[in-house]
Amino acid sequence: MILTGPAIAAAVQAGEIIIDPYESSRVSPNAYDWRLGDTIRVCDDDLDAATPTAFTEESIPDTGFVLRPGLLYLGITLERTGSEMYAQLLNGDLTTGSLGIWVHVSAPLGHQGHAIRWTLEIRATRPVRVYPGMTFGKLVFLTPLGAPASYQQQPAKYASTEGIGISRLYEEIDGGTR
């Protein structure tokens, strides 16, 4: 089941959900409106699943940063979110989609026990200027069914990710960089 806005607010108050920084005005009927952080990685070379992704990292200035079509950008959420009780789904929304920004299409699931600032996959269909702290999508919380299994207790390769992560698929590919 998906939590309603009032249930999200109550769970934050009870310490069952972490949203940091939290603003009650960002709670909507079934989600929390999350924001873009102030750092972005630009992946502008050819990508190879057998090697770590090359990138340049830039701060997003208050005057904005122009996303260009044909490039992969890895961003980060302003908020750190998580819960031992609930799973999360992070998505873009109409706010970004109507600007031609595709955000976080491939990995929306946040497991129980994983409190993070999310790494975002970002693509632009047209040149578009983005700003740090702008609303970038919706985060929903889900009640899992069955015995809880905290992500931090699993042998998961992204369990200790700090900041913007890159694909670590190369660790699984024979002949890949390890």
Side-chain angles (χ1 to χ4, degrees), residues 66-79:
V66 176
L67 302 174
R68 304 272 178 212
L71 297 177
L72 170 64
Y73 297 94
L74 298 176
I76 195 163
T77 58
L78 176 68
E79 292 86 0

Side-chain angles (χ1 to χ4, degrees), residues 93-147:
D93 65 0
L94 180 62
T95 314
T96 51
S98 61
L99 290 172
I101 300 170
W102 297 344
V103 60
H104 218 65
V105 174
S106 67
L109 180 63
H111 299 283
Q112 283 177 273
H114 203 194
I116 57 169
R117 289 180 68 201
W118 293 68
T119 294
L120 307 168
E121 306 106 24
I122 305 168
R123 308 266 315 194
T125 59
R126 310 248 328 137
V128 58
R129 185 175 298 274
V130 296
Y131 300 87
M134 70 183 272
T135 299
F136 224 62
K138 300 251 183 229
L139 178 68
V140 299
F141 292 89
L142 307 167
T143 302
L145 179 63

Side-chain angles (χ1 to χ4, degrees), residues 141-164:
F141 292 89
L142 307 167
T143 302
L145 179 63
S150 177
Y151 189 79
Q152 294 307 112
Q153 306 304 315
Q154 308 298 314
K157 74 173 88 167
Y158 298 105
S160 63
T161 301
E162 291 292 328
I164 300 173

Side-chain angles (χ1 to χ4, degrees), residues 4-177:
T4 63
I8 293 168
V12 169
Q13 278 296 109
E16 298 168 349
I17 290 177
I18 297 166
I19 301 176
D20 184 28
Y22 174 75
E23 294 179 12
S24 60
S25 63
R26 303 191 73 71
V27 177
S28 59
N30 295 101
Y32 186 85
D33 295 339
W34 60 271
R35 296 168 287 181
L36 179 63
D38 63 358
T39 306
I40 198 158
R41 289 183 175 175
V42 182
C43 307
D44 56 2
D45 289 331
D46 291 343
L47 303 176
D48 181 344
T51 61
T53 302
F55 61 84
T56 56
E57 187 167 291
E58 300 187 34
S59 292
I60 303 173
D62 291 340
T63 55
F65 179 89
V66 176
L67 302 174
R68 304 272 178 212
L71 297 177
L72 170 64
Y73 297 94
L74 298 176
I76 195 163
T77 58
L78 176 68
E79 292 86 0
R80 178 178 169 269
T81 68
S83 175
E84 286 291 339
M85 293 185 63
Y86 302 103
Q88 307 167 77
L89 286 178
L90 185 106
N91 297 293
D93 65 0
L94 180 62
T95 314
T96 51
S98 61
L99 290 172
I101 300 170
W102 297 344
V103 60
H104 218 65
V105 174
S106 67
L109 180 63
H111 299 283
Q112 283 177 273
H114 203 194
I116 57 169
R117 289 180 68 201
W118 293 68
T119 294
L120 307 168
E121 306 106 24
I122 305 168
R123 308 266 315 194
T125 59
R126 310 248 328 137
V128 58
R129 185 175 298 274
V130 296
Y131 300 87
M134 70 183 272
T135 299
F136 224 62
K138 300 251 183 229
L139 178 68
V140 299
F141 292 89
L142 307 167
T143 302
L145 179 63
S150 177
Y151 189 79
Q152 294 307 112
Q153 306 304 315
Q154 308 298 314
K157 74 173 88 167
Y158 298 105
S160 63
T161 301
E162 291 292 328
I164 300 173
I166 61 168
S167 171
R168 291 175 44 197
L169 187 60
Y170 59 87
E171 295 174 359
E172 300 176 19
I173 296 175
D174 288 337
T177 306

